[in-house]
Amino acid sequence: RQRASARAYAAMWKEGDLEIAEILGRRGARELQDISVGFRGAAHALALGKLYLAEMAEELWPGYLQTVHFKRFTRHTMTTAAELRLNLAAVRQRGIAVDIEEYADNVCCISAPVRDQRGRLIATLGTYLPARRFRYQYKSLERAVRDTAEAASAEVGAAL
């Protein structure tokens, strides 16, 4: 939150779906209006969820992703498994996930994984901000999110 000067989210995979675990933000910062701690779902439209989906077999995806067409949140939302598979291949290659106005118009996210000492994905961290700022500051935002997730991973590993 501090490095990106934007609202930050942490999520976990619980009981077969994405769940928002923590939200940290500054006053007046843009946020996802209908997402609060405990929110579950929309893994295909949130960068926080794409990291999990990229690492699991499709048959383990939530029920709402076992349909022919997925729920559309904006005109940018991926609504088919084929679209999502292609996006998830890029997530695996980059090691980070992005949401370019897929859940909310004019809001983008970049998210990175938090891993335990065995390399297992245990949480995702991301920052959501206005699309215009995201496009201009992508490189610095990516570095901030990656560094923060790596530091969290190291802390978790040290605690185990």
Side-chain angles (χ1 to χ4, degrees):
R1 171 182 63 101
Q2 289 174 325
R3 285 197 52 196
S5 296
R7 191 163 297 273
Y9 292 74
M12 300 176 77
W13 197 262
K14 284 184 156 181
E15 299 172 7
D17 205 354
L18 180 72
E19 183 174 310
I20 303 300
E22 186 75 36
I23 301 171
L24 297 172
R26 54 189 185 85
R27 251 191 160 74
R30 177 177 287 241
E31 64 177 357
L32 298 170
Q33 297 299 322
D34 56 344
I35 291 185
S36 57
V37 171
F39 172 89
R40 295 176 58 78
H44 66 296
L46 296 169
L48 296 160
K50 290 179 190 181
L51 287 163
Y52 282 103
L53 295 175
E55 292 196 9
M56 68 177 60
E58 285 185 42
E59 56 269 11
L60 298 176
W61 290 358
Y64 59 85
L65 297 179
Q66 301 293 334
T67 61
V68 175
H69 293 285
F70 309 154
K71 181 175 181 179
R72 179 180 298 281
F73 296 96
T74 73
R75 64 188 173 94
H76 301 287
T77 306
M78 290 172 285
T79 59
T80 67
E83 289 175 297
L84 185 56
R85 275 186 217 106
L86 187 61
N87 187 277
L88 296 178
V91 170
R92 286 187 287 276
Q93 183 179 24
R94 290 188 312 255
I96 58 164
V98 294
D99 154 7
I100 310 292
E101 300 183 72
E102 294 169 48
Y103 185 80
D105 287 323
N106 299 313
V107 180
C108 296
C109 176
I110 186 166
S111 183
V114 176
R115 298 186 183 280
D116 67 14
Q117 67 186 141
R118 289 187 232 159
R120 291 179 301 191
L121 180 61
I122 58 170
T124 57
L125 302 177
T127 187
Y128 279 85
L129 57 157
R132 182 179 172 96
R133 181 173 166 220
F134 180 86
R135 288 180 178 92
Y136 286 112
Q137 296 181 337
Y138 178 82
K139 290 286 188 195
S140 63
L141 292 167
E142 178 183 348
R143 180 70 352 223
V145 171
R146 277 187 194 272
D147 289 351
T148 302
E150 288 171 7
S153 296
E155 189 171 320
V156 167
L160 294 176

